Short mmCIF file of all heavy atoms in Angstrom, two decimals:
data_model
loop_
_atom_site.label_atom_id
_atom_site.label_comp_id
_atom_site.label_asym_id
_atom_site.label_seq_id
_atom_site.Cartn_x
_atom_site.Cartn_y
_atom_site.Cartn_z
N MET A 1 5.87 -23.76 -14.81
CA MET A 1 5.91 -22.38 -14.40
C MET A 1 4.53 -21.81 -14.44
O MET A 1 3.74 -22.14 -15.36
CB MET A 1 6.85 -21.59 -15.36
CG MET A 1 7.11 -20.21 -14.96
SD MET A 1 8.17 -20.00 -13.50
CE MET A 1 9.77 -20.14 -14.10
N HIS A 2 4.17 -20.96 -13.47
CA HIS A 2 2.83 -20.32 -13.39
C HIS A 2 2.98 -18.80 -13.36
O HIS A 2 4.07 -18.33 -13.01
CB HIS A 2 2.11 -20.77 -12.13
CG HIS A 2 1.91 -22.26 -12.04
ND1 HIS A 2 0.88 -22.90 -12.71
CD2 HIS A 2 2.58 -23.26 -11.42
CE1 HIS A 2 0.95 -24.16 -12.47
NE2 HIS A 2 1.99 -24.43 -11.68
N THR A 3 1.96 -18.11 -13.73
CA THR A 3 1.99 -16.64 -13.66
C THR A 3 0.96 -16.25 -12.62
O THR A 3 -0.15 -16.70 -12.54
CB THR A 3 1.55 -16.05 -15.00
OG1 THR A 3 2.47 -16.52 -16.02
CG2 THR A 3 1.52 -14.54 -15.00
N LEU A 4 1.43 -15.25 -11.78
CA LEU A 4 0.60 -14.74 -10.73
C LEU A 4 0.50 -13.23 -10.87
O LEU A 4 1.62 -12.57 -10.93
CB LEU A 4 1.18 -15.13 -9.33
CG LEU A 4 0.53 -14.56 -8.12
CD1 LEU A 4 -0.86 -15.17 -7.92
CD2 LEU A 4 1.39 -14.85 -6.88
N LYS A 5 -0.70 -12.70 -10.98
CA LYS A 5 -0.80 -11.24 -11.05
C LYS A 5 -1.40 -10.72 -9.80
O LYS A 5 -2.44 -11.18 -9.30
CB LYS A 5 -1.72 -10.86 -12.27
CG LYS A 5 -1.92 -9.43 -12.42
CD LYS A 5 -2.83 -9.11 -13.59
CE LYS A 5 -3.01 -7.63 -13.72
NZ LYS A 5 -3.88 -7.33 -14.84
N VAL A 6 -0.71 -9.76 -9.15
CA VAL A 6 -1.15 -9.23 -7.84
C VAL A 6 -1.15 -7.73 -7.97
O VAL A 6 -0.18 -7.11 -8.37
CB VAL A 6 -0.21 -9.64 -6.70
CG1 VAL A 6 -0.60 -9.09 -5.38
CG2 VAL A 6 -0.07 -11.20 -6.68
N GLU A 7 -2.25 -7.12 -7.65
CA GLU A 7 -2.34 -5.60 -7.61
C GLU A 7 -2.02 -5.23 -6.18
O GLU A 7 -2.69 -5.69 -5.20
CB GLU A 7 -3.73 -5.14 -8.04
CG GLU A 7 -3.97 -5.37 -9.52
CD GLU A 7 -5.23 -4.79 -10.00
OE1 GLU A 7 -5.80 -3.92 -9.28
OE2 GLU A 7 -5.71 -5.17 -11.09
N VAL A 8 -0.98 -4.36 -5.99
CA VAL A 8 -0.55 -4.04 -4.67
C VAL A 8 -0.61 -2.53 -4.47
O VAL A 8 -0.19 -1.75 -5.34
CB VAL A 8 0.90 -4.51 -4.50
CG1 VAL A 8 1.42 -4.16 -3.11
CG2 VAL A 8 1.01 -6.00 -4.68
N ASN A 9 -1.13 -2.05 -3.34
CA ASN A 9 -1.19 -0.70 -3.06
C ASN A 9 0.27 -0.17 -2.70
O ASN A 9 1.06 -0.98 -2.26
CB ASN A 9 -2.11 -0.46 -1.83
CG ASN A 9 -2.62 0.97 -1.74
OD1 ASN A 9 -2.10 1.86 -2.45
ND2 ASN A 9 -3.66 1.15 -0.95
N ASP A 10 0.47 1.13 -2.88
CA ASP A 10 1.81 1.65 -2.63
C ASP A 10 2.27 1.51 -1.21
O ASP A 10 3.45 1.42 -0.95
CB ASP A 10 1.82 3.17 -3.01
CG ASP A 10 1.72 3.42 -4.45
OD1 ASP A 10 2.12 2.52 -5.24
OD2 ASP A 10 1.31 4.48 -4.86
N THR A 11 1.34 1.44 -0.31
CA THR A 11 1.64 1.35 1.13
C THR A 11 2.41 0.03 1.52
O THR A 11 3.17 0.04 2.46
CB THR A 11 0.43 1.54 2.00
OG1 THR A 11 -0.53 0.56 1.63
CG2 THR A 11 -0.16 2.88 1.85
N ILE A 12 2.14 -1.04 0.78
CA ILE A 12 2.73 -2.32 1.15
C ILE A 12 3.64 -2.81 0.05
O ILE A 12 4.16 -3.98 0.13
CB ILE A 12 1.70 -3.37 1.49
CG1 ILE A 12 0.80 -3.69 0.31
CG2 ILE A 12 0.85 -3.00 2.72
CD1 ILE A 12 0.02 -4.98 0.47
N LEU A 13 3.86 -2.07 -0.97
CA LEU A 13 4.70 -2.50 -2.10
C LEU A 13 6.11 -2.91 -1.62
O LEU A 13 6.65 -3.98 -2.07
CB LEU A 13 4.84 -1.41 -3.18
CG LEU A 13 5.75 -1.75 -4.35
CD1 LEU A 13 5.20 -2.95 -5.12
CD2 LEU A 13 5.83 -0.59 -5.24
N ASP A 14 6.74 -2.13 -0.76
CA ASP A 14 8.07 -2.47 -0.26
C ASP A 14 8.11 -3.79 0.46
O ASP A 14 9.04 -4.59 0.28
CB ASP A 14 8.54 -1.37 0.70
CG ASP A 14 8.82 -0.05 0.01
OD1 ASP A 14 9.09 -0.07 -1.20
OD2 ASP A 14 8.73 0.96 0.68
N LYS A 15 7.09 -4.11 1.25
CA LYS A 15 7.08 -5.41 1.95
C LYS A 15 6.91 -6.52 1.02
O LYS A 15 7.59 -7.56 1.20
CB LYS A 15 5.90 -5.37 2.98
CG LYS A 15 6.12 -4.31 4.07
CD LYS A 15 4.94 -4.21 4.93
CE LYS A 15 5.18 -3.12 6.00
NZ LYS A 15 3.98 -2.75 6.69
N VAL A 16 6.04 -6.38 -0.01
CA VAL A 16 5.87 -7.48 -0.94
C VAL A 16 7.15 -7.71 -1.75
O VAL A 16 7.54 -8.83 -1.99
CB VAL A 16 4.63 -7.14 -1.87
CG1 VAL A 16 4.51 -8.17 -3.01
CG2 VAL A 16 3.36 -7.15 -1.02
N MET A 17 7.78 -6.60 -2.17
CA MET A 17 9.02 -6.71 -2.95
C MET A 17 10.14 -7.37 -2.11
O MET A 17 10.91 -8.15 -2.65
CB MET A 17 9.48 -5.35 -3.49
CG MET A 17 8.54 -4.80 -4.53
SD MET A 17 8.36 -5.93 -5.94
CE MET A 17 10.00 -6.04 -6.57
N PHE A 18 10.21 -7.03 -0.89
CA PHE A 18 11.20 -7.64 0.01
C PHE A 18 10.97 -9.16 0.05
O PHE A 18 11.93 -9.96 -0.06
CB PHE A 18 11.09 -7.02 1.43
CG PHE A 18 12.05 -7.70 2.39
CD1 PHE A 18 13.39 -7.35 2.41
CD2 PHE A 18 11.59 -8.62 3.34
CE1 PHE A 18 14.26 -7.93 3.31
CE2 PHE A 18 12.46 -9.21 4.23
CZ PHE A 18 13.78 -8.86 4.19
N PHE A 19 9.75 -9.58 0.23
CA PHE A 19 9.40 -11.04 0.27
C PHE A 19 9.81 -11.68 -1.03
O PHE A 19 10.44 -12.71 -1.02
CB PHE A 19 7.97 -11.21 0.59
CG PHE A 19 7.53 -12.68 0.37
CD1 PHE A 19 7.90 -13.61 1.32
CD2 PHE A 19 6.77 -13.00 -0.69
CE1 PHE A 19 7.46 -14.92 1.21
CE2 PHE A 19 6.34 -14.34 -0.89
CZ PHE A 19 6.69 -15.27 0.08
N LEU A 20 9.36 -11.09 -2.15
CA LEU A 20 9.63 -11.72 -3.42
C LEU A 20 11.15 -11.77 -3.80
O LEU A 20 11.63 -12.75 -4.35
CB LEU A 20 8.91 -10.96 -4.53
CG LEU A 20 7.40 -11.10 -4.50
CD1 LEU A 20 6.73 -10.14 -5.54
CD2 LEU A 20 6.95 -12.51 -4.67
N ASN A 21 11.88 -10.76 -3.39
CA ASN A 21 13.31 -10.70 -3.66
C ASN A 21 14.08 -11.73 -2.80
O ASN A 21 15.25 -12.11 -3.15
CB ASN A 21 13.86 -9.40 -3.45
CG ASN A 21 13.52 -8.43 -4.56
OD1 ASN A 21 13.45 -8.81 -5.74
ND2 ASN A 21 13.31 -7.14 -4.23
N ASN A 22 13.52 -12.22 -1.69
CA ASN A 22 14.15 -13.17 -0.89
C ASN A 22 13.85 -14.67 -1.26
O ASN A 22 14.41 -15.58 -0.70
CB ASN A 22 13.73 -13.01 0.62
CG ASN A 22 14.43 -11.82 1.23
OD1 ASN A 22 15.61 -11.54 0.91
ND2 ASN A 22 13.72 -11.07 2.04
N LEU A 23 13.04 -14.82 -2.31
CA LEU A 23 12.79 -16.21 -2.83
C LEU A 23 13.94 -16.58 -3.73
O LEU A 23 14.71 -15.73 -4.21
CB LEU A 23 11.46 -16.19 -3.63
CG LEU A 23 10.21 -15.90 -2.82
CD1 LEU A 23 9.00 -15.81 -3.76
CD2 LEU A 23 9.97 -17.04 -1.82
N PRO A 24 14.11 -17.87 -3.95
CA PRO A 24 15.26 -18.36 -4.75
C PRO A 24 15.18 -17.77 -6.19
O PRO A 24 14.18 -17.93 -6.87
CB PRO A 24 15.09 -19.89 -4.82
CG PRO A 24 14.21 -20.20 -3.64
CD PRO A 24 13.39 -18.99 -3.41
N LYS A 25 16.28 -17.20 -6.63
CA LYS A 25 16.28 -16.51 -7.96
C LYS A 25 16.11 -17.51 -9.10
O LYS A 25 15.60 -17.15 -10.16
CB LYS A 25 17.61 -15.78 -8.18
CG LYS A 25 17.87 -14.72 -7.12
CD LYS A 25 16.94 -13.57 -7.24
CE LYS A 25 17.33 -12.48 -6.24
NZ LYS A 25 16.34 -11.94 -5.47
N SER A 26 16.47 -18.76 -8.86
CA SER A 26 16.38 -19.77 -9.95
C SER A 26 14.90 -20.23 -10.14
O SER A 26 14.62 -20.87 -11.12
CB SER A 26 17.27 -20.98 -9.65
OG SER A 26 16.88 -21.56 -8.40
N GLU A 27 14.06 -19.95 -9.20
CA GLU A 27 12.69 -20.37 -9.24
C GLU A 27 11.65 -19.31 -9.39
O GLU A 27 10.42 -19.60 -9.40
CB GLU A 27 12.37 -21.22 -7.97
CG GLU A 27 13.28 -22.39 -7.85
CD GLU A 27 12.82 -23.34 -6.73
OE1 GLU A 27 11.63 -23.34 -6.40
OE2 GLU A 27 13.64 -24.13 -6.26
N ILE A 28 12.04 -18.03 -9.57
CA ILE A 28 11.10 -16.97 -9.70
C ILE A 28 11.67 -15.92 -10.68
O ILE A 28 12.83 -15.69 -10.73
CB ILE A 28 10.76 -16.31 -8.36
CG1 ILE A 28 9.61 -15.34 -8.52
CG2 ILE A 28 11.94 -15.68 -7.66
CD1 ILE A 28 9.01 -14.83 -7.22
N LYS A 29 10.78 -15.42 -11.51
CA LYS A 29 11.14 -14.32 -12.39
C LYS A 29 10.20 -13.16 -12.07
O LYS A 29 9.00 -13.30 -12.20
CB LYS A 29 10.98 -14.74 -13.89
CG LYS A 29 11.22 -13.71 -14.85
CD LYS A 29 10.95 -14.20 -16.27
CE LYS A 29 10.98 -13.03 -17.24
NZ LYS A 29 10.53 -13.44 -18.58
N LEU A 30 10.75 -12.01 -11.72
CA LEU A 30 9.91 -10.87 -11.33
C LEU A 30 9.83 -9.90 -12.53
O LEU A 30 10.81 -9.57 -13.18
CB LEU A 30 10.54 -10.13 -10.14
CG LEU A 30 10.46 -10.85 -8.83
CD1 LEU A 30 11.20 -10.03 -7.78
CD2 LEU A 30 9.05 -11.10 -8.40
N SER A 31 8.66 -9.41 -12.76
CA SER A 31 8.45 -8.28 -13.69
C SER A 31 7.42 -7.36 -13.05
O SER A 31 6.33 -7.77 -12.63
CB SER A 31 7.98 -8.80 -15.01
OG SER A 31 6.74 -9.41 -14.91
N ILE A 32 7.78 -6.08 -12.99
CA ILE A 32 6.94 -5.10 -12.33
C ILE A 32 6.36 -4.21 -13.37
O ILE A 32 7.01 -3.68 -14.30
CB ILE A 32 7.78 -4.24 -11.32
CG1 ILE A 32 8.42 -5.14 -10.31
CG2 ILE A 32 6.93 -3.19 -10.63
CD1 ILE A 32 9.43 -4.42 -9.45
N GLU A 33 5.02 -3.96 -13.26
CA GLU A 33 4.35 -3.16 -14.20
C GLU A 33 3.55 -2.09 -13.39
O GLU A 33 2.71 -2.43 -12.55
CB GLU A 33 3.33 -3.99 -14.96
CG GLU A 33 2.56 -3.30 -16.06
CD GLU A 33 1.63 -4.23 -16.78
OE1 GLU A 33 2.13 -5.32 -17.19
OE2 GLU A 33 0.43 -3.90 -16.91
N GLU A 34 3.89 -0.83 -13.59
CA GLU A 34 3.24 0.23 -12.87
C GLU A 34 2.06 0.76 -13.64
O GLU A 34 2.15 0.94 -14.84
CB GLU A 34 4.19 1.36 -12.54
CG GLU A 34 5.32 0.95 -11.58
CD GLU A 34 6.15 2.12 -11.17
OE1 GLU A 34 5.61 3.26 -11.18
OE2 GLU A 34 7.34 1.90 -10.80
N THR A 35 0.97 0.99 -12.97
CA THR A 35 -0.24 1.50 -13.61
C THR A 35 -0.71 2.74 -12.85
O THR A 35 -0.40 2.98 -11.71
CB THR A 35 -1.40 0.52 -13.57
OG1 THR A 35 -1.71 0.14 -12.22
CG2 THR A 35 -1.08 -0.77 -14.30
N GLU A 36 -1.38 3.57 -13.64
CA GLU A 36 -1.94 4.79 -13.02
C GLU A 36 -3.14 4.42 -12.20
O GLU A 36 -3.99 3.65 -12.59
CB GLU A 36 -2.33 5.83 -14.11
CG GLU A 36 -1.17 6.42 -14.82
CD GLU A 36 -1.65 7.50 -15.78
OE1 GLU A 36 -2.68 8.14 -15.51
OE2 GLU A 36 -0.91 7.74 -16.80
N GLN A 37 -3.24 5.00 -10.99
CA GLN A 37 -4.32 4.69 -10.11
C GLN A 37 -5.61 5.31 -10.51
O GLN A 37 -6.68 4.72 -10.38
CB GLN A 37 -3.94 5.13 -8.68
CG GLN A 37 -4.88 4.61 -7.64
CD GLN A 37 -4.43 4.97 -6.27
OE1 GLN A 37 -3.58 5.85 -6.03
NE2 GLN A 37 -4.90 4.28 -5.27
N ASN A 38 -5.63 6.52 -10.99
CA ASN A 38 -6.87 7.24 -11.35
C ASN A 38 -7.07 7.32 -12.83
O ASN A 38 -7.60 8.27 -13.35
CB ASN A 38 -6.76 8.65 -10.77
CG ASN A 38 -6.73 8.67 -9.27
OD1 ASN A 38 -7.34 7.77 -8.61
ND2 ASN A 38 -6.03 9.64 -8.65
N HIS A 39 -6.71 6.26 -13.53
CA HIS A 39 -6.87 6.20 -14.98
C HIS A 39 -8.33 5.90 -15.30
O HIS A 39 -8.82 4.88 -15.04
CB HIS A 39 -5.94 5.18 -15.54
CG HIS A 39 -6.06 5.10 -17.07
ND1 HIS A 39 -5.65 6.10 -17.90
CD2 HIS A 39 -6.58 4.13 -17.87
CE1 HIS A 39 -5.84 5.76 -19.14
NE2 HIS A 39 -6.43 4.58 -19.18
N LYS A 40 -9.00 6.95 -15.91
CA LYS A 40 -10.37 6.77 -16.31
C LYS A 40 -10.41 7.11 -17.79
O LYS A 40 -9.82 8.10 -18.23
CB LYS A 40 -11.27 7.69 -15.55
CG LYS A 40 -11.36 7.38 -14.11
CD LYS A 40 -12.26 8.38 -13.35
CE LYS A 40 -12.24 8.07 -11.87
NZ LYS A 40 -13.01 9.09 -11.09
N PRO A 41 -11.10 6.32 -18.59
CA PRO A 41 -11.21 6.63 -20.02
C PRO A 41 -11.96 7.92 -20.19
O PRO A 41 -12.96 8.21 -19.52
CB PRO A 41 -12.01 5.50 -20.61
CG PRO A 41 -12.44 4.65 -19.52
CD PRO A 41 -11.81 5.11 -18.24
N LYS A 42 -11.50 8.74 -21.13
CA LYS A 42 -12.08 10.02 -21.35
C LYS A 42 -13.24 9.87 -22.34
O LYS A 42 -13.15 9.12 -23.33
CB LYS A 42 -11.08 11.03 -21.94
CG LYS A 42 -10.04 11.42 -20.99
CD LYS A 42 -9.07 12.45 -21.66
CE LYS A 42 -8.01 12.80 -20.64
NZ LYS A 42 -7.07 13.78 -21.26
N LYS A 43 -14.30 10.52 -22.06
CA LYS A 43 -15.42 10.51 -22.97
C LYS A 43 -15.36 11.73 -23.87
O LYS A 43 -15.29 12.83 -23.40
CB LYS A 43 -16.74 10.52 -22.16
CG LYS A 43 -17.99 10.40 -23.06
CD LYS A 43 -19.25 10.39 -22.24
CE LYS A 43 -20.47 10.30 -23.13
NZ LYS A 43 -21.71 10.33 -22.42
N LEU A 44 -15.30 11.46 -25.19
CA LEU A 44 -15.13 12.56 -26.14
C LEU A 44 -16.50 12.85 -26.80
O LEU A 44 -17.24 11.92 -27.18
CB LEU A 44 -14.20 12.17 -27.22
CG LEU A 44 -12.76 11.76 -26.75
CD1 LEU A 44 -11.91 11.29 -27.91
CD2 LEU A 44 -12.14 12.96 -26.09
N ASN A 45 -16.82 14.13 -26.84
CA ASN A 45 -18.09 14.53 -27.47
C ASN A 45 -17.69 15.35 -28.71
O ASN A 45 -16.83 16.16 -28.70
CB ASN A 45 -18.89 15.44 -26.49
CG ASN A 45 -19.34 14.66 -25.26
OD1 ASN A 45 -19.68 13.53 -25.35
ND2 ASN A 45 -19.38 15.38 -24.16
N SER A 46 -18.44 15.08 -29.75
CA SER A 46 -18.22 15.81 -30.98
C SER A 46 -19.38 16.74 -31.32
O SER A 46 -20.50 16.44 -30.92
CB SER A 46 -17.85 14.92 -32.13
OG SER A 46 -19.00 14.11 -32.45
N ILE A 47 -19.17 17.75 -32.02
CA ILE A 47 -20.18 18.66 -32.46
C ILE A 47 -20.08 18.85 -33.96
O ILE A 47 -18.96 18.69 -34.56
CB ILE A 47 -20.17 20.03 -31.72
CG1 ILE A 47 -18.89 20.73 -32.02
CG2 ILE A 47 -20.37 19.85 -30.29
CD1 ILE A 47 -18.83 22.16 -31.54
N SER A 48 -21.09 19.18 -34.62
CA SER A 48 -21.08 19.48 -36.05
C SER A 48 -21.45 20.93 -36.27
O SER A 48 -22.39 21.40 -35.57
CB SER A 48 -21.98 18.54 -36.85
OG SER A 48 -23.30 18.81 -36.61
N LEU A 49 -20.78 21.57 -37.14
CA LEU A 49 -21.10 22.94 -37.44
C LEU A 49 -21.74 22.97 -38.88
O LEU A 49 -21.16 22.41 -39.81
CB LEU A 49 -19.79 23.80 -37.42
CG LEU A 49 -19.05 23.80 -36.14
CD1 LEU A 49 -17.70 24.53 -36.30
CD2 LEU A 49 -19.82 24.46 -35.08
N LYS A 50 -22.79 23.66 -38.93
CA LYS A 50 -23.47 23.78 -40.20
C LYS A 50 -22.88 25.04 -40.91
O LYS A 50 -23.08 26.18 -40.49
CB LYS A 50 -24.98 23.94 -40.06
CG LYS A 50 -25.63 22.70 -39.40
CD LYS A 50 -27.12 22.85 -39.30
CE LYS A 50 -27.84 21.80 -38.60
NZ LYS A 50 -27.45 20.54 -38.32
N THR A 51 -22.14 24.74 -41.97
CA THR A 51 -21.42 25.90 -42.68
C THR A 51 -21.91 26.05 -44.13
O THR A 51 -21.28 26.73 -44.84
CB THR A 51 -19.92 25.51 -42.67
OG1 THR A 51 -19.70 24.30 -43.31
CG2 THR A 51 -19.33 25.51 -41.26
N LYS A 52 -23.01 25.40 -44.41
CA LYS A 52 -23.55 25.59 -45.75
C LYS A 52 -23.96 27.03 -46.01
O LYS A 52 -24.67 27.66 -45.22
CB LYS A 52 -24.78 24.66 -45.97
CG LYS A 52 -25.27 24.68 -47.36
CD LYS A 52 -26.35 23.68 -47.57
CE LYS A 52 -26.70 23.65 -49.05
NZ LYS A 52 -27.75 22.62 -49.31
N GLY A 53 -23.43 27.63 -47.04
CA GLY A 53 -23.74 28.98 -47.40
C GLY A 53 -22.82 29.97 -46.75
O GLY A 53 -22.95 31.20 -46.95
N PHE A 54 -21.95 29.54 -45.88
CA PHE A 54 -20.99 30.45 -45.23
C PHE A 54 -19.71 30.60 -46.10
O PHE A 54 -19.17 29.60 -46.46
CB PHE A 54 -20.62 29.92 -43.85
CG PHE A 54 -19.63 30.80 -43.12
CD1 PHE A 54 -19.99 31.91 -42.49
CD2 PHE A 54 -18.25 30.42 -43.08
CE1 PHE A 54 -19.12 32.78 -41.88
CE2 PHE A 54 -17.33 31.23 -42.43
CZ PHE A 54 -17.74 32.38 -41.82
N LYS A 55 -19.33 31.80 -46.38
CA LYS A 55 -18.07 32.08 -47.09
C LYS A 55 -17.02 32.58 -46.20
O LYS A 55 -17.19 33.57 -45.51
CB LYS A 55 -18.35 33.13 -48.22
CG LYS A 55 -17.16 33.29 -49.07
CD LYS A 55 -17.50 34.30 -50.23
CE LYS A 55 -16.16 34.45 -51.03
NZ LYS A 55 -16.37 35.41 -52.08
N PHE A 56 -15.93 31.86 -46.14
CA PHE A 56 -14.84 32.19 -45.26
C PHE A 56 -13.97 33.28 -45.96
O PHE A 56 -13.55 33.16 -47.09
CB PHE A 56 -13.97 30.93 -45.01
CG PHE A 56 -12.80 31.24 -44.07
CD1 PHE A 56 -12.97 31.42 -42.71
CD2 PHE A 56 -11.47 31.33 -44.55
CE1 PHE A 56 -11.92 31.68 -41.86
CE2 PHE A 56 -10.44 31.64 -43.73
CZ PHE A 56 -10.65 31.83 -42.38
N ASP A 57 -13.81 34.38 -45.24
CA ASP A 57 -12.99 35.45 -45.73
C ASP A 57 -11.71 35.52 -44.93
O ASP A 57 -11.68 35.91 -43.79
CB ASP A 57 -13.73 36.81 -45.61
CG ASP A 57 -13.00 37.96 -46.23
OD1 ASP A 57 -11.94 37.76 -46.87
OD2 ASP A 57 -13.51 39.10 -46.07
N ARG A 58 -10.58 35.09 -45.55
CA ARG A 58 -9.28 35.04 -44.84
C ARG A 58 -8.82 36.40 -44.37
O ARG A 58 -8.23 36.54 -43.32
CB ARG A 58 -8.23 34.45 -45.81
CG ARG A 58 -6.88 34.28 -45.12
CD ARG A 58 -5.92 33.41 -45.90
NE ARG A 58 -6.43 32.10 -46.22
CZ ARG A 58 -6.40 31.03 -45.33
NH1 ARG A 58 -5.94 31.25 -44.14
NH2 ARG A 58 -6.85 29.86 -45.69
N ASP A 59 -9.04 37.47 -45.20
CA ASP A 59 -8.61 38.77 -44.74
C ASP A 59 -9.35 39.25 -43.53
O ASP A 59 -8.78 39.82 -42.59
CB ASP A 59 -8.81 39.78 -45.96
CG ASP A 59 -7.83 39.48 -47.08
OD1 ASP A 59 -6.74 39.01 -46.79
OD2 ASP A 59 -8.31 39.73 -48.21
N GLU A 60 -10.63 38.91 -43.44
CA GLU A 60 -11.44 39.29 -42.30
C GLU A 60 -10.99 38.53 -41.06
O GLU A 60 -10.86 39.06 -39.94
CB GLU A 60 -12.94 39.02 -42.58
CG GLU A 60 -13.85 39.36 -41.40
CD GLU A 60 -15.30 38.94 -41.66
OE1 GLU A 60 -15.68 38.87 -42.80
OE2 GLU A 60 -15.98 38.65 -40.65
N ALA A 61 -10.68 37.26 -41.21
CA ALA A 61 -10.20 36.44 -40.13
C ALA A 61 -8.82 36.95 -39.61
O ALA A 61 -8.58 36.96 -38.38
CB ALA A 61 -10.09 34.99 -40.52
N ASN A 62 -7.95 37.33 -40.53
CA ASN A 62 -6.62 37.83 -40.13
C ASN A 62 -6.70 39.17 -39.45
O ASN A 62 -5.83 39.53 -38.65
CB ASN A 62 -5.64 37.92 -41.31
CG ASN A 62 -5.26 36.52 -41.77
OD1 ASN A 62 -5.25 35.57 -41.05
ND2 ASN A 62 -4.94 36.41 -43.07
N ALA A 63 -7.70 39.92 -39.73
CA ALA A 63 -7.85 41.26 -39.16
C ALA A 63 -8.24 41.17 -37.65
O ALA A 63 -8.07 42.11 -36.88
CB ALA A 63 -8.93 42.06 -39.89
N ARG A 64 -8.73 40.00 -37.20
CA ARG A 64 -9.14 39.85 -35.77
C ARG A 64 -7.93 39.74 -34.97
O ARG A 64 -7.14 39.59 -34.48
CB ARG A 64 -9.98 38.60 -35.60
CG ARG A 64 -11.29 38.73 -36.26
CD ARG A 64 -12.16 37.54 -36.00
NE ARG A 64 -12.92 37.26 -37.16
CZ ARG A 64 -13.60 36.14 -37.36
NH1 ARG A 64 -13.48 35.16 -36.47
NH2 ARG A 64 -14.37 35.95 -38.38
#
């Protein structure tokens, strides 16, 4: 048994699936994996706040 990975565009997916479904069921095992087309890793930026000497006043914050 061999594994074949094929990336198929949505425009021809029906045709490829029709072909694969017409192959002998005893000789092929189909598994479909859908992926997002525009998946891009997000770049995260962090910032640091200098809070030395700052006193947090809860009553003042709640008044806002």
